[in-house]
Amino acid sequence: RSTHCISSAASDVYKRQASTLWHFANAAELNESRFPLRTGLHFEHRPGMVNFSIVGRNATIGERKLYVKHDQLINERNTIAKLFNAKFPTILAQPGGETGIDIYPKGYDKSQIIKDFSDSDNLYFFGDRMDVDGNDFTLAEAIKLKHGITYQVNDWIDTWNHLKEII
């Protein structure tokens, strides 16, 4: 069925700007963040996207929780995403999960998977960022248009509890 790969044209645009994007993030946001902890692996390449994190992917659960509190106080990830979006008009940055920002070519967000489902499929989606600025928003809206069910969740335990209710 589907692939989570981006088209060749979008991939070329993405690759051309990836180096600039990396320098922008490291020179500006990573160094200017008031959050004092850096754990490494600030950019994680994933199929069709990059995930950027101030605290870094090597953070422990405790370190992640510290960053979440910091972000809730100053809304840092939304601010960084807006700066990215202004600087790179063909790339979209959106806060995702607890500590990251998902960065991908415009039009290649999570909602691209919806074309692989028929109108008769029963769709359920669990997302932690279905708010308008979140990385789950477009897929949640697409699923609702197909009369699917979406669940706003906080973590895997919340997801598991919803799944137990469904089954």
Side-chain angles (χ1 to χ4, degrees), residues 70-157:
H70 167 80
D71 187 45
Q72 288 171 341
L73 286 174
I74 68 166
N75 207 21
E76 182 173 60
R77 292 183 306 146
N78 280 333
T79 301
I80 292 170
K82 288 177 184 172
L83 287 170
F84 274 27
N85 294 336
K87 178 101 174 156
F88 303 100
T90 61
I91 293 178
L92 189 61
Q94 292 180 305
E98 293 181 321
T99 65
I101 298 171
D102 291 343
I103 304 166
Y104 48 85
K106 279 189 177 176
Y108 293 90
D109 57 45
K110 290 180 179 183
S111 68
Q112 67 180 314
I113 191 71
I114 204 73
K115 69 183 181 299
D116 293 327
F117 295 95
S118 70
D119 289 337
S120 62
D121 287 331
N122 293 322
L123 302 178
Y124 298 87
F125 178 64
F126 302 83
D128 63 349
R129 287 301 310 259
M130 289 196 276
D131 56 284
V132 71
D133 290 325
N135 67 333
D136 295 325
F137 178 77
T138 57
L139 180 53
E141 292 301 303
I143 286 175
K144 290 175 191 174
L145 287 173
K146 288 224 177 229
H147 305 291
I149 300 171
T150 62
Y151 294 88
Q152 172 68 41
V153 295
N154 298 313
D155 52 30
W156 72 268
I157 295 169

Side-chain angles (χ1 to χ4, degrees), residues 37-71:
L37 183 63
R38 305 291 188 277
T39 65
L41 190 56
H42 300 282
F43 274 94
E44 181 178 56
H45 294 270
R46 297 178 182 171
M49 63 168 281
V50 172
N51 182 272
F52 172 71
S53 172
I54 290 288
V55 68
R57 294 278 144 229
N58 295 334
T60 65
I61 291 172
E63 292 165 338
R64 290 173 62 86
K65 287 182 180 181
L66 289 173
Y67 183 77
V68 168
K69 285 182 186 177
H70 167 80
D71 187 45

